[in-house]
Amino acid sequence: LYRRDGGAPPGAAGSFGGGDRLVSEYEEAELLPRISERVRVFLTRTAVLDRMCGPLCDAVLERSGSAATLADLARSNQLLVPLDRRGHWYRYHHLFRDMLLAELERVEPDLIPVLGRRAAAWCLRYDLVEASLEYSLAAGDVDQAARLVGRLARLTYRQGRVNTLWRWCRHGTRHGARLWR
């Protein structure tokens, strides 16, 4: 259906994502109507997270009970992928997450950097420094990102992850700031 309606030719699956109009319309028509408004808000707002656990979602949403919501979603197979055997960490299927992010961008675009800063703060509190850096970059918090790059640069370089360092620095310069101070 995607190709028939003018989608990319075969072999261009990389352009097929949750932000695509056809994918988004399908997911909105088939998946979201069966979800309560409370769960829909949970899904869209936690879509800013690459991976999630109950306490992280609680911090980002400034509420409690997220672990139970995640467990319910995992049991009902709402495109939630468990990342461990304990059922503590999860992620969304990439197409579903793309669609949720597109919905969040459409409905509450000003909330996206706020959610990212909350995620960055939580990750930093639990010594997930690289995750905190990624959320800081996504939230446009270049000052915090610069501090975290300074903290991670030497170790990242020693690990041979030079491309990661370049990506962090390029992101900062694209946003009019230097991550190296």
Side-chain angles (χ1 to χ4, degrees):
L1 288 173
Y2 177 72
R3 287 188 42 227
R4 185 191 72 208
D5 287 348
S15 67
F16 184 74
D20 181 272
R21 180 185 57 81
L22 292 175
V23 173
S24 185
E25 286 175 5
Y26 170 77
E27 289 177 331
E28 286 180 28
E30 298 297 322
L31 299 172
L32 294 181
R34 293 181 271 163
I35 299 171
S36 71
E37 181 63 25
R38 183 187 67 78
V39 172
R40 187 177 181 148
V41 167
F42 177 91
L43 292 171
T44 56
R45 291 182 181 178
T46 58
V48 301
L49 303 171
D50 295 320
R51 63 185 195 123
M52 66 199 100
C53 65
L56 173 56
C57 292
D58 284 346
V60 168
L61 301 173
E62 295 185 322
R63 64 170 236 192
S64 61
S66 296
T69 302
L70 288 169
D72 289 345
L73 289 169
R75 274 192 300 282
S76 64
N77 195 22
Q78 294 288 345
L79 300 175
L80 195 64
V81 178
L83 298 177
D84 61 22
R85 293 161 86 170
R86 296 181 344 205
H88 185 71
W89 287 98
Y90 300 90
R91 70 168 176 81
Y92 292 120
H93 183 281
H94 73 278
L95 288 175
F96 188 54
R97 181 176 183 233
D98 289 349
M99 186 275 305
L100 292 170
L101 284 170
E103 175 77 1
L104 184 61
E105 178 68 40
R106 187 179 65 75
V107 176
E108 299 179 289
D110 296 339
L111 190 57
I112 295 171
V114 173
L115 298 171
R117 284 191 298 275
R118 291 177 190 162
W122 186 90
C123 288
L124 195 56
R125 191 173 322 121
Y126 290 94
D127 205 32
L128 301 169
V129 181
E130 192 166 328
S132 181
L133 170 57
E134 296 293 344
Y135 289 125
S136 295
L137 289 171
D141 189 348
V142 180
D143 290 336
Q144 176 68 359
R147 285 189 288 278
L148 295 173
V149 166
R151 197 167 150 185
L152 291 170
R154 184 172 293 153
L155 175 63
T156 305
Y157 181 78
R158 284 184 184 157
Q159 292 172 338
R161 298 171 51 216
V162 177
N163 288 337
T164 299
L165 273 173
W166 281 118
R167 181 178 55 80
W168 292 340
C169 294
R170 276 194 318 270
H171 185 90
T173 55
R174 275 198 317 268
H175 290 87
R178 290 177 34 104
L179 291 184
W180 295 103
R181 294 185 178 184

